[in-house]
């Protein structure tokens, strides 16, 4: 039977999601700064190549950083609230998974 998750309490959930939003705001700021630096460095070294190239690079960097950071933020949210400990995960032992055909 699964234990009660700390995220079931509205106060804990509100605090956890507020912390997650704070992490995402900081990540958005870091992403904007990173994209600006990357665009500046690209322009300084290569000049004006194509506007499509700069759009693609900016979108690639932005989406990669925001997706990775968002998923990591959810991992921190889950672990930091104790939600991970509330999951009942009864995995079989390795010897129970791989039995020889003679058994």
């Amino acid at each position: 039977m699964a234990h009660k998750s700390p995220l079931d309490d509205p106060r804990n959930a509100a605090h956890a999601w507020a912390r997650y939003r704070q992490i995402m705001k900081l990540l958005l700021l870091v992403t904007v700064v990173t994209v600006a630096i990357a665009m500046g460095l690209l322009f300084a070294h290569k000049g004006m190549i194509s506007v499509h190239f700069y759009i693609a690079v900016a979108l690639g960097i932005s989406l990669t950083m925001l997706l990775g950071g968002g998923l990591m933020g959810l991992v921190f949210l889950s672990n930091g609230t104790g939600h991970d400990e509330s999951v009942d995960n009864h995995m079989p032992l390795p010897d129970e998974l791989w039995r020889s055909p003679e058994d």
Side-chain angles (χ1 to χ4, degrees):
M1 180 172 147
H3 301 91
K4 185 176 179 184
S5 171
L7 288 176
D8 291 339
D9 179 20
R11 289 184 54 199
N12 284 345
H15 175 71
W17 285 110
R19 184 172 163 229
Y20 178 75
R21 282 189 296 273
Q22 183 181 12
I23 289 171
M24 288 306 294
K25 287 176 187 175
L26 178 64
L27 178 65
L28 181 62
L29 177 68
V30 170
T31 300
V32 168
V33 169
T34 303
V35 168
I37 291 171
M39 294 295 107
L41 288 173
L42 275 173
F43 187 75
H45 289 285
K46 299 293 181 184
M48 189 62 192
I49 300 171
S50 168
V51 70
H52 299 101
F53 175 76
Y54 288 105
I55 291 171
V57 169
L59 284 175
I61 293 170
S62 300
L63 293 176
T64 301
M65 287 184 68
L66 291 174
L67 178 64
L71 292 174
M72 284 303 297
L74 288 174
V75 169
F76 292 145
L77 176 123
S78 177
N79 188 25
T81 59
H83 181 73
D84 290 349
E85 287 82 22
S86 69
V87 174
D88 191 14
N89 189 6
H90 292 292
M91 294 288 294
L93 297 173
D95 59 344
E96 293 173 352
L97 286 175
W98 302 101
R99 293 187 179 171
S100 62
E102 298 86 38
D103 291 340

